[in-house]
Amino acid sequence: MMTLHLNATDLSRTVLRSAPAVLLELGAAGQRLFEATVPEHLAAWQARTRAALRPEMRPYLDLCRLPWWFPDFLTPPSFGRDLATGLDEVAATPAATLEAELRPRIEAGDLPPRVGALAAGAPAARQRLRAAMVAFHEVAVAPYWDTVTAAVQADRAVRGHTMVDAGIDPVLRNLSPYLFWKPCGERYELSYECGFANEIALAPAGRGVTLVPSYLVPRPCVLDDPTGPLVLAYPIRPTRRELTSGKPLADLLGRTRAAVLGAIADGPSTSQVARTIGISVASASQHTTTLRSAGLISTHRAGSAVRHTLTPLGQHLLRAGRAG
């Protein structure tokens, strides 16, 4: 059982991430490949991804094979704003961290001996890992990113409205069927069953909590960075029966513009859209202008930011495009 002991300051500093974390989804995708059975909405995705695997992806998939463990250095607490930023953070992992995380698993036989070069911090092994992550991302995550983003943002929108209307308590109480929320006087406990230890207790002690909704993670997971808030990733409840690529919508609008439309589900600003998609703010502004002219989104100013929301027509087009 993993138990998070939270105080009032932690609750006041609890925030909900507005976009999926690419390195988290990538790691979850790698672990899902090794599962004998997956939820129905991931079955076709798993089959397609397995069929697309290539030998150069092995350095990354070697690290994804354990269902109850995943290297912390592959999901740094910031998660990176985009894949390139995240990969830079992974590449900068100190050699001592690689050794501490990987060597015990190699010696226990959980990881193959070939991971030893990476555990030693060899530059060539680091380069192979980065190339493997890029290659795996291209087949397992990138084609489905619009769908993942829309589902995560929809989950966040619902919980955001709940937080505004009723406070943080019902958000944490109904965060996931895997999680158990219990107020204990002036302190609070958020716990879940985990497969790698009997009892683990963590206390942010006023650092707060960042909630990270995820499409692909099978169960909650925690990253505890002593220099920042505790990070709790939780699996959302996907509304779709199957993870699809949204290709029909991309064929109609173009891949980038379809991605922009998919990113507009929770009132993002133009700069937030740009970061989510990985394009410049100027490009994001051009795409939102075109989508607004077509009646697919509406735009309004909130303070110094310009925020976008889907119109009913935009919502209908997005649903229809993903159902194709």
Side-chain angles (χ1 to χ4, degrees):
M1 180 75 75
M2 170 82 76
T3 303
L4 311 182
H5 297 279
L6 311 177
N7 58 31
T9 303
D10 292 319
L11 294 188
S12 71
R13 295 177 177 174
T14 295
V15 298
L16 186 58
R17 186 181 168 104
S18 61
V22 63
L23 292 185
L24 181 68
E25 301 295 347
L26 188 67
Q31 289 187 305
R32 289 287 198 182
L33 288 188
F34 292 97
E35 293 182 351
T37 59
V38 294
E40 183 179 0
H41 69 282
L42 294 178
W45 165 86
Q46 186 192 58
R48 288 192 298 266
T49 303
R50 283 176 171 174
L53 296 181
R54 304 191 301 273
E56 59 264 33
M57 302 175 189
R58 181 181 295 168
Y60 183 65
L61 295 181
D62 277 342
L63 307 179
C64 300
R65 60 177 59 227
L66 301 177
W68 44 268
W69 176 84
F70 189 73
D72 285 345
F73 76 89
L74 290 177
T75 51
S78 69
F79 291 116
R81 282 292 181 182
D82 51 48
L83 181 63
T85 302
L87 292 177
D88 288 343
E89 292 188 54
V90 172
T93 302
T97 300
L98 295 175
E99 183 75 17
E101 287 203 53
L102 300 179
R103 186 64 62 186
R105 301 298 177 192
I106 298 171
E107 293 177 352
D110 297 328
L111 298 179
R114 58 177 173 264
V115 178
L118 180 63
R126 291 176 183 261
Q127 292 172 5
R128 287 193 295 270
L129 175 62
R130 183 177 187 130
M133 294 175 73
V134 171
F136 183 60
H137 176 267
E138 289 177 353
V139 301
V141 175
Y144 310 97
W145 194 244
D146 295 350
T147 301
V148 169
T149 297
V152 164
Q153 291 181 336
D155 179 272
R156 195 241 191 197
V158 171
R159 299 188 194 282
H161 288 305
T162 300
M163 191 179 296
V164 171
D165 293 340
I168 189 64
D169 184 271
V171 173
L172 295 176
R173 190 179 301 279
N174 299 297
L175 195 62
S176 167
Y178 299 97
L179 291 162
F180 307 94
W181 168 248
K182 183 175 69 173
C184 302
E186 296 183 355
R187 301 188 67 84
Y188 310 84
E189 292 183 358
L190 188 62
S191 59
Y192 67 95
E193 295 285 348
C194 57
F196 54 85
N198 292 327
E199 289 292 339
I200 295 179
L202 295 174
R207 290 181 286 126
V209 178
T210 297
L211 301 174
V212 182
S214 171
Y215 194 103
L216 288 170
V217 295
R219 61 193 66 83
C221 59
V222 171
L223 294 173
D224 188 19
D225 177 10
T227 65
L230 184 146
V231 176
L232 172 62
Y234 66 93
I236 65 171
R237 302 176 178 89
T239 57
R240 294 194 52 82
R241 292 181 60 84
E242 181 182 341
L243 180 56
T244 60
S245 66
K247 188 175 184 298
L249 187 59
D251 289 342
L252 175 65
L253 299 178
R255 181 173 180 178
T256 301
R257 191 163 295 157
V260 171
L261 184 66
I264 299 174
D266 190 27
S269 66
T270 303
S271 59
Q272 287 172 331
V273 171
R275 286 195 299 269
T276 298
I277 306 303
I279 59 178
S280 68
V281 174
S283 179
S285 180
Q286 291 175 351
H287 287 300
T288 54
T289 297
T290 301
L291 293 171
R292 184 170 60 251
S293 299
L296 301 179
I297 68 172
S298 60
T299 301
H300 62 280
R301 183 168 292 278
S304 60
V306 173
R307 298 194 174 276
H308 311 283
T309 56
L310 294 173
T311 64
L313 177 61
Q315 293 173 345
H316 177 76
L317 180 62
L318 199 58
R319 287 195 299 268
R322 289 188 176 124

mmCIF file of all heavy atoms in Angstrom, residues 256-257 260 269-275 277-290 292 308:
data_model
loop_
_atom_site.group_PDB
_atom_site.id
_atom_site.type_symbol
_atom_site.label_atom_id
_atom_site.label_comp_id
_atom_site.label_asym_id
_atom_site.label_seq_id
_atom_site.Cartn_x
_atom_site.Cartn_y
_atom_site.Cartn_z
ATOM 1 N N THR A 256 -1.421 19.159 -38.646
ATOM 2 C CA THR A 256 -1.169 20.152 -37.606
ATOM 3 C C THR A 256 -2.448 20.843 -37.183
ATOM 4 O O THR A 256 -2.718 21.022 -35.987
ATOM 5 C CB THR A 256 -0.144 21.187 -38.099
ATOM 6 O OG1 THR A 256 1.070 20.517 -38.440
ATOM 7 C CG2 THR A 256 0.141 22.212 -37.011
ATOM 8 N N ARG A 257 -3.276 21.227 -38.157
ATOM 9 C CA ARG A 257 -4.513 21.930 -37.801
ATOM 10 C C ARG A 257 -5.469 21.007 -37.059
ATOM 11 O O ARG A 257 -6.172 21.439 -36.136
ATOM 12 C CB ARG A 257 -5.181 22.492 -39.057
ATOM 13 C CG ARG A 257 -6.337 23.455 -38.759
ATOM 14 C CD ARG A 257 -6.674 24.280 -39.988
ATOM 15 N NE ARG A 257 -5.563 25.147 -40.344
ATOM 16 C CZ ARG A 257 -5.362 25.654 -41.566
ATOM 17 N NH1 ARG A 257 -6.204 25.347 -42.549
ATOM 18 N NH2 ARG A 257 -4.347 26.438 -41.801
ATOM 19 N N VAL A 260 -4.269 20.982 -33.549
ATOM 20 C CA VAL A 260 -4.670 22.219 -32.859
ATOM 21 C C VAL A 260 -6.123 22.121 -32.410
ATOM 22 O O VAL A 260 -6.466 22.458 -31.272
ATOM 23 C CB VAL A 260 -4.453 23.440 -33.767
ATOM 24 C CG1 VAL A 260 -5.080 24.689 -33.151
ATOM 25 C CG2 VAL A 260 -2.966 23.673 -34.013
ATOM 26 N N SER A 269 -4.810 28.859 -23.914
ATOM 27 C CA SER A 269 -4.348 30.060 -24.600
ATOM 28 C C SER A 269 -3.603 29.657 -25.862
ATOM 29 O O SER A 269 -3.289 28.480 -26.073
ATOM 30 C CB SER A 269 -3.419 30.863 -23.688
ATOM 31 O OG SER A 269 -2.219 30.136 -23.447
ATOM 32 N N THR A 270 -3.296 30.647 -26.705
ATOM 33 C CA THR A 270 -2.566 30.352 -27.932
ATOM 34 C C THR A 270 -1.191 29.765 -27.626
ATOM 35 O O THR A 270 -0.751 28.812 -28.278
ATOM 36 C CB THR A 270 -2.414 31.622 -28.774
ATOM 37 O OG1 THR A 270 -3.714 32.175 -29.044
ATOM 38 C CG2 THR A 270 -1.727 31.334 -30.102
ATOM 39 N N SER A 271 -0.518 30.303 -26.611
ATOM 40 C CA SER A 271 0.811 29.782 -26.271
ATOM 41 C C SER A 271 0.724 28.365 -25.714
ATOM 42 O O SER A 271 1.599 27.532 -25.969
ATOM 43 C CB SER A 271 1.500 30.705 -25.261
ATOM 44 O OG SER A 271 0.739 30.824 -24.077
ATOM 45 N N GLN A 272 -0.342 28.058 -24.976
ATOM 46 C CA GLN A 272 -0.513 26.691 -24.480
ATOM 47 C C GLN A 272 -0.763 25.718 -25.618
ATOM 48 O O GLN A 272 -0.267 24.591 -25.608
ATOM 49 C CB GLN A 272 -1.668 26.648 -23.477
ATOM 50 C CG GLN A 272 -1.339 27.294 -22.140
ATOM 51 C CD GLN A 272 -2.553 27.418 -21.242
ATOM 52 O OE1 GLN A 272 -3.682 27.534 -21.710
ATOM 53 N NE2 GLN A 272 -2.325 27.408 -19.940
ATOM 54 N N VAL A 273 -1.541 26.120 -26.601
ATOM 55 C CA VAL A 273 -1.762 25.285 -27.784
ATOM 56 C C VAL A 273 -0.424 25.025 -28.478
ATOM 57 O O VAL A 273 -0.117 23.894 -28.866
ATOM 58 C CB VAL A 273 -2.751 25.944 -28.752
ATOM 59 C CG1 VAL A 273 -2.802 25.186 -30.079
ATOM 60 C CG2 VAL A 273 -4.143 26.001 -28.135
ATOM 61 N N ALA A 274 0.371 26.068 -28.612
ATOM 62 C CA ALA A 274 1.665 25.936 -29.285
ATOM 63 C C ALA A 274 2.555 24.931 -28.550
ATOM 64 O O ALA A 274 3.193 24.081 -29.175
ATOM 65 C CB ALA A 274 2.352 27.297 -29.373
ATOM 66 N N ARG A 275 2.602 25.017 -27.220
ATOM 67 C CA ARG A 275 3.441 24.099 -26.445
ATOM 68 C C ARG A 275 2.923 22.668 -26.544
ATOM 69 O O ARG A 275 3.695 21.720 -26.658
ATOM 70 C CB ARG A 275 3.495 24.539 -24.980
ATOM 71 C CG ARG A 275 4.353 25.761 -24.717
ATOM 72 C CD ARG A 275 4.654 25.902 -23.238
ATOM 73 N NE ARG A 275 3.454 26.064 -22.440
ATOM 74 C CZ ARG A 275 2.916 27.242 -22.126
ATOM 75 N NH1 ARG A 275 3.493 28.368 -22.550
ATOM 76 N NH2 ARG A 275 1.829 27.314 -21.382
ATOM 77 N N ILE A 277 1.232 21.221 -28.963
ATOM 78 C CA ILE A 277 1.424 20.635 -30.290
ATOM 79 C C ILE A 277 2.892 20.612 -30.691
ATOM 80 O O ILE A 277 3.314 19.802 -31.512
ATOM 81 C CB ILE A 277 0.599 21.411 -31.345
ATOM 82 C CG1 ILE A 277 -0.864 21.469 -30.915
ATOM 83 C CG2 ILE A 277 0.711 20.766 -32.713
ATOM 84 C CD1 ILE A 277 -1.503 20.120 -30.686
ATOM 85 N N GLY A 278 3.681 21.524 -30.099
ATOM 86 C CA GLY A 278 5.090 21.605 -30.470
ATOM 87 C C GLY A 278 5.339 22.473 -31.683
ATOM 88 O O GLY A 278 6.180 22.153 -32.532
ATOM 89 N N ILE A 279 4.579 23.570 -31.794
ATOM 90 C CA ILE A 279 4.749 24.509 -32.905
ATOM 91 C C ILE A 279 4.970 25.901 -32.331
ATOM 92 O O ILE A 279 4.849 26.109 -31.121
ATOM 93 C CB ILE A 279 3.511 24.510 -33.841
ATOM 94 C CG1 ILE A 279 2.248 24.885 -33.054
ATOM 95 C CG2 ILE A 279 3.341 23.151 -34.500
ATOM 96 C CD1 ILE A 279 0.988 24.966 -33.907
ATOM 97 N N SER A 280 5.299 26.868 -33.195
ATOM 98 C CA SER A 280 5.520 28.226 -32.730
ATOM 99 C C SER A 280 4.193 28.894 -32.375
ATOM 100 O O SER A 280 3.121 28.487 -32.848
ATOM 101 C CB SER A 280 6.234 29.046 -33.810
ATOM 102 O OG SER A 280 5.370 29.254 -34.922
ATOM 103 N N VAL A 281 4.263 29.927 -31.555
ATOM 104 C CA VAL A 281 3.055 30.668 -31.194
ATOM 105 C C VAL A 281 2.444 31.321 -32.433
ATOM 106 O O VAL A 281 1.215 31.352 -32.593
ATOM 107 C CB VAL A 281 3.388 31.730 -30.125
ATOM 108 C CG1 VAL A 281 2.168 32.614 -29.847
ATOM 109 C CG2 VAL A 281 3.854 31.060 -28.837
ATOM 110 N N ALA A 282 3.282 31.811 -33.335
ATOM 111 C CA ALA A 282 2.779 32.434 -34.560
ATOM 112 C C ALA A 282 2.005 31.428 -35.403
ATOM 113 O O ALA A 282 0.930 31.736 -35.945
ATOM 114 C CB ALA A 282 3.939 33.021 -35.363
ATOM 115 N N SER A 283 2.545 30.207 -35.515
ATOM 116 C CA SER A 283 1.852 29.169 -36.277
ATOM 117 C C SER A 283 0.542 28.792 -35.604
ATOM 118 O O SER A 283 -0.492 28.626 -36.264
ATOM 119 C CB SER A 283 2.745 27.936 -36.425
ATOM 120 O OG SER A 283 2.079 26.910 -37.133
ATOM 121 N N ALA A 284 0.558 28.664 -34.279
ATOM 122 C CA ALA A 284 -0.669 28.339 -33.549
ATOM 123 C C ALA A 284 -1.713 29.423 -33.759
ATOM 124 O O ALA A 284 -2.912 29.133 -33.922
ATOM 125 C CB ALA A 284 -0.362 28.166 -32.068
ATOM 126 N N SER A 285 -1.278 30.672 -33.757
ATOM 127 C CA SER A 285 -2.214 31.780 -33.969
ATOM 128 C C SER A 285 -2.846 31.717 -35.353
ATOM 129 O O SER A 285 -4.058 31.960 -35.514
ATOM 130 C CB SER A 285 -1.475 33.115 -33.782
ATOM 131 O OG SER A 285 -2.349 34.208 -33.990
ATOM 132 N N GLN A 286 -2.058 31.383 -36.374
ATOM 133 C CA GLN A 286 -2.602 31.264 -37.730
ATOM 134 C C GLN A 286 -3.641 30.144 -37.805
ATOM 135 O O GLN A 286 -4.712 30.316 -38.413
ATOM 136 C CB GLN A 286 -1.464 30.995 -38.720
ATOM 137 C CG GLN A 286 -0.517 32.173 -38.913
ATOM 138 C CD GLN A 286 0.660 31.823 -39.807
ATOM 139 O OE1 GLN A 286 0.863 30.659 -40.161
ATOM 140 N NE2 GLN A 286 1.447 32.823 -40.171
ATOM 141 N N HIS A 287 -3.348 29.025 -37.189
ATOM 142 C CA HIS A 287 -4.283 27.895 -37.237
ATOM 143 C C HIS A 287 -5.569 28.204 -36.477
ATOM 144 O O HIS A 287 -6.667 27.859 -36.933
ATOM 145 C CB HIS A 287 -3.624 26.637 -36.677
ATOM 146 C CG HIS A 287 -2.597 26.037 -37.592
ATOM 147 N ND1 HIS A 287 -2.892 25.585 -38.863
ATOM 148 C CD2 HIS A 287 -1.266 25.808 -37.421
ATOM 149 C CE1 HIS A 287 -1.794 25.097 -39.432
ATOM 150 N NE2 HIS A 287 -0.800 25.227 -38.575
ATOM 151 N N THR A 288 -5.452 28.846 -35.310
ATOM 152 C CA THR A 288 -6.661 29.174 -34.557
ATOM 153 C C THR A 288 -7.499 30.215 -35.302
ATOM 154 O O THR A 288 -8.732 30.172 -35.251
ATOM 155 C CB THR A 288 -6.312 29.690 -33.152
ATOM 156 O OG1 THR A 288 -5.397 30.790 -33.243
ATOM 157 C CG2 THR A 288 -5.697 28.580 -32.310
ATOM 158 N N THR A 289 -6.850 31.113 -36.006
ATOM 159 C CA THR A 289 -7.598 32.094 -36.808
ATOM 160 C C THR A 289 -8.413 31.397 -37.883
ATOM 161 O O THR A 289 -9.597 31.709 -38.107
ATOM 162 C CB THR A 289 -6.632 33.110 -37.447
ATOM 163 O OG1 THR A 289 -5.969 33.848 -36.418
ATOM 164 C CG2 THR A 289 -7.384 34.075 -38.347
ATOM 165 N N THR A 290 -7.796 30.436 -38.560
ATOM 166 C CA THR A 290 -8.500 29.684 -39.605
ATOM 167 C C THR A 290 -9.651 28.880 -39.016
ATOM 168 O O THR A 290 -10.762 28.845 -39.572
ATOM 169 C CB THR A 290 -7.524 28.741 -40.328
ATOM 170 O OG1 THR A 290 -6.466 29.515 -40.908
ATOM 171 C CG2 THR A 290 -8.232 27.955 -41.421
ATOM 172 N N ARG A 292 -11.264 29.486 -36.267
ATOM 173 C CA ARG A 292 -12.310 30.413 -35.815
ATOM 174 C C ARG A 292 -13.137 30.916 -36.985
ATOM 175 O O ARG A 292 -14.366 31.005 -36.909
ATOM 176 C CB ARG A 292 -11.670 31.586 -35.066
ATOM 177 C CG ARG A 292 -12.690 32.563 -34.481
ATOM 178 C CD ARG A 292 -12.032 33.573 -33.550
ATOM 179 N NE ARG A 292 -11.026 34.377 -34.248
ATOM 180 C CZ ARG A 292 -9.720 34.254 -34.052
ATOM 181 N NH1 ARG A 292 -9.254 33.341 -33.216
ATOM 182 N NH2 ARG A 292 -8.878 35.023 -34.710
ATOM 183 N N HIS A 308 -9.178 29.849 -26.177
ATOM 184 C CA HIS A 308 -9.996 29.272 -27.240
ATOM 185 C C HIS A 308 -10.837 28.124 -26.685
ATOM 186 O O HIS A 308 -10.385 27.374 -25.817
ATOM 187 C CB HIS A 308 -9.108 28.742 -28.370
ATOM 188 C CG HIS A 308 -8.069 29.714 -28.821
ATOM 189 N ND1 HIS A 308 -8.348 30.784 -29.640
ATOM 190 C CD2 HIS A 308 -6.732 29.792 -28.549
ATOM 191 C CE1 HIS A 308 -7.246 31.470 -29.870
ATOM 192 N NE2 HIS A 308 -6.245 30.888 -29.216
#
